[in-house]
Amino acid sequence: MRGLENKSNMECGAQGACWTETTYVTILKTTQTACEEQIMDPRYPVGKFEVPGNVNPAARAEAILEIASAPGRFQAAVKGLNDAQLDTPYREGGWTVRQVIHHLADSHMNAYIRWRLALTETEPTIKPYEEGAWAKLEDAAYAPVEVSLRLLEPLHERWVRMLHSVKPEEFARTFRHPEHGVRTLDWMLFLYAWHCRHHTAHITELRKQKKW
């Protein structure tokens, strides 16, 4: 057994590989750091956007339902918040809760128009907008959130009505984004389903942190 003395600080696996205590510590620290970065990044509380691996009618139906139910979830997310709370950034250096709600109206109005363009034109080039600058405009920075919450209800009602009318083959229609290149309507559908969850979570996670 004397041959094992030099391995007192090592553990050998079934395949004969030996790890030192230093190796264990390094792995644990790396894993912990990776987990902390994933958990603590307030910019992406539901994770970064990814198109589902399996795009099919059921996945599309789920995404449309997400968009349909979003106005009610936006309202629930800010229910009972006072002006001081609405003017609290959801993260350091981020938008206020008020700006998040008004951004949703800005973004989804643009999305609705983009859908209509892509359904009626051949690969139209859509126009981006400076969302950060829009968020600083007076109506986005200071208007009551109820203004945009009321706007989002009929907007989503028409948007969802249109989405339900899209034929399966039409989800492959394309548009051109100056920054993202050529994208399909499938891509935009899943992007905005995620967008609804993404910004709702900005508010709900802040409320959890603040115990509001």
Side-chain angles (χ1 to χ4, degrees), residues 65-78 149 193 196-198 200 204:
L65 182 61
E66 189 86 42
I67 293 171
S69 63
R73 287 184 283 113
F74 301 153
Q75 293 172 18
V78 298
L149 291 173
C196 294
R197 299 191 304 273
H198 173 66
T200 301
T204 56

Side-chain angles (χ1 to χ4, degrees), residues 81-117:
L81 295 182
N82 58 38
D83 281 336
Q85 292 168 328
L86 290 170
D87 290 327
T88 302
Y90 78 88
R91 65 175 176 86
E92 186 177 353
W95 289 335
T96 66
V97 173
R98 189 186 306 276
Q99 287 173 306
V100 169
I101 293 295
H102 292 313
H103 162 72
L104 285 163
D106 291 341
S107 174
H108 293 190
M109 284 190 287
N110 274 277
Y112 175 63
I113 296 300
R114 290 170 180 177
W115 268 89
R116 297 182 74 78
L117 290 170

Side-chain angles (χ1 to χ4, degrees), residues 2 16 41 59 66 71 100 112 138 166 173 177 181 186 192 198:
R2 290 173 59 188
D41 189 346
E66 189 86 42
V100 169
Y112 175 63
E138 195 280 338
V166 178
R173 291 183 67 94
H177 191 291
D186 260 330
Y192 280 94
H198 173 66

Side-chain angles (χ1 to χ4, degrees), residues 13-200:
Q15 304 301 319
C18 298
W19 289 0
T20 65
E21 290 180 2
T22 302
T23 304
Y24 273 122
V25 171
T26 301
I27 292 173
L28 287 172
K29 284 184 177 179
T30 302
T31 303
Q32 182 179 7
T33 300
C35 291
E36 286 176 351
E37 287 177 352
Q38 183 177 5
I39 294 171
M40 294 172 60
D41 189 346
R43 296 173 300 170
Y44 302 103
V46 298
K48 294 184 178 181
F49 169 64
E50 292 182 359
V51 177
N54 185 20
V55 175
N56 54 41
R60 291 186 187 118
E62 185 176 345
I64 293 171
L65 182 61
E66 189 86 42
I67 293 171
S69 63
R73 287 184 283 113
F74 301 153
Q75 293 172 18
V78 298
K79 185 177 181 180
L81 295 182
N82 58 38
D83 281 336
Q85 292 168 328
L86 290 170
D87 290 327
T88 302
Y90 78 88
R91 65 175 176 86
E92 186 177 353
W95 289 335
T96 66
V97 173
R98 189 186 306 276
Q99 287 173 306
V100 169
I101 293 295
H102 292 313
H103 162 72
L104 285 163
D106 291 341
S107 174
H108 293 190
M109 284 190 287
N110 274 277
Y112 175 63
I113 296 300
R114 290 170 180 177
W115 268 89
R116 297 182 74 78
L117 290 170
L119 284 170
T120 58
E121 299 179 15
T122 301
E123 201 169 285
T125 297
I126 57 107
K127 187 180 185 305
Y129 66 99
E130 295 293 337
E131 61 179 34
W134 283 34
K136 294 176 182 177
L137 295 173
E138 195 280 338
D139 62 319
Y142 303 109
V145 292
E146 289 76 15
V147 174
S148 284
L149 291 173
R150 288 196 303 267
L151 185 157
L152 282 158
E153 285 189 280
L155 173 62
H156 276 238
E157 184 177 355
R158 278 203 59 180
W159 190 6
V160 170
R161 185 183 181 96
M162 178 181 64
L163 291 174
H164 280 303
S165 73
V166 178
K167 299 178 178 66
E169 64 272 17
E170 290 180 313
F171 285 100
R173 291 183 67 94
T174 58
F175 63 95
R176 185 176 295 275
H177 191 291
E179 297 171 3
H180 298 295
V182 176
R183 298 291 180 172
T184 66
L185 285 179
D186 260 330
W187 179 86
M188 186 153 54
L189 174 64
F190 292 107
L191 173 67
Y192 280 94
W194 169 85
H195 193 254
C196 294
R197 299 191 304 273
H198 173 66
H199 285 302
T200 301

